[in-house]
């Protein structure tokens, strides 16, 4: 089975007649656009299986979801929240709490870079 890594906006073709484009990614969901001739059936796997079809043996195994790392998925809502948190930190900064504000900004930077927090950082 061919495996591709795409970024939003990229596409691939099948037999020059079918075009599949990765539209956007939000958390664990990918939005895909498909252009295919009307005579080519395009059916979601879940629908096919509900109607009695068999799951293709060639499908790759999907790793089990980990609740521990689920919150690390970055999307526009998290980006907006991060910007808002930075703005609030700037607004409440005083000479007395400057070190704590700097530490919070460093933690926000690490989250945005996908590094996450170690157990010690997360526990406080």
């Amino acid at each position: 089975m061919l495996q591709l890594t795409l970024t939003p906006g990229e596409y691939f073709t099948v037999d020059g007649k079918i075009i599949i484009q990765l539209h956007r990614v939000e958390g664990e969901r990918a939005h895909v656009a498909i252009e295919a001739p009307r005579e080519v059936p395009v059916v979601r796997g879940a629908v096919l299986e509900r109607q009695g079809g068999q799951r293709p043996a060639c499908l790759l195994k999907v790793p089990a979801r980990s609740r521990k790392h689920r919150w690390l998925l970055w999307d526009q809502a998290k980006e907006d929240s991060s910007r808002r948190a930075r703005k609030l930190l700037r607004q409440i900064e005083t000479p007395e709490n400057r070190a704590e504000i700097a530490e919070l900004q460093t933690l926000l930077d690490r989250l945005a870079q996908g590094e996450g927090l170690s157990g010690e950082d997360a526990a406080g």
Side-chain angles (χ1 to χ4, degrees):
M1 175 179 279
L2 173 66
Q3 295 181 47
L4 301 173
T5 301
L6 302 173
T7 57
E10 289 186 319
Y11 69 95
F12 63 95
T13 65
V14 176
D15 197 29
K17 299 173 189 161
I18 301 170
I19 302 166
I20 301 161
Q21 180 185 29
L22 177 60
H23 179 62
R24 71 180 185 269
V25 176
E26 293 178 352
E28 292 184 3
R29 292 183 176 258
H31 298 257
V32 178
I34 301 170
E35 176 71 30
R38 289 202 177 273
E39 61 271 9
V40 176
V42 177
V43 181
R44 181 187 295 260
V47 173
L48 183 67
E49 290 174 30
R50 243 189 341 261
Q51 295 173 346
Q54 294 296 312
R55 184 174 181 83
C58 64
L59 292 179
L60 302 172
K61 300 287 184 211
V62 177
R65 289 184 182 173
S66 169
R67 297 187 124 199
K68 179 179 178 184
H69 297 291
R70 185 176 173 144
W71 61 274
L72 291 175
L73 296 171
W74 206 255
D75 59 14
Q76 190 60 48
K78 288 183 180 74
E79 181 66 29
D80 294 344
S81 297
S82 173
R83 284 193 187 115
R84 178 75 176 128
R86 290 173 199 283
K87 182 177 178 182
L88 289 171
L89 287 173
R90 286 191 302 273
Q91 290 174 355
I92 63 172
E93 184 176 0
T94 65
E96 294 81 23
N97 70 6
R98 188 164 285 139
E100 291 85 359
I101 296 293
E103 184 177 355
L104 287 170
Q105 289 174 334
T106 299
L107 292 172
L108 279 170
D109 290 341
R110 287 175 56 195
L111 287 171
Q113 293 168 2
E115 294 178 23
L117 301 173
S118 68
E120 182 181 312
D121 290 337

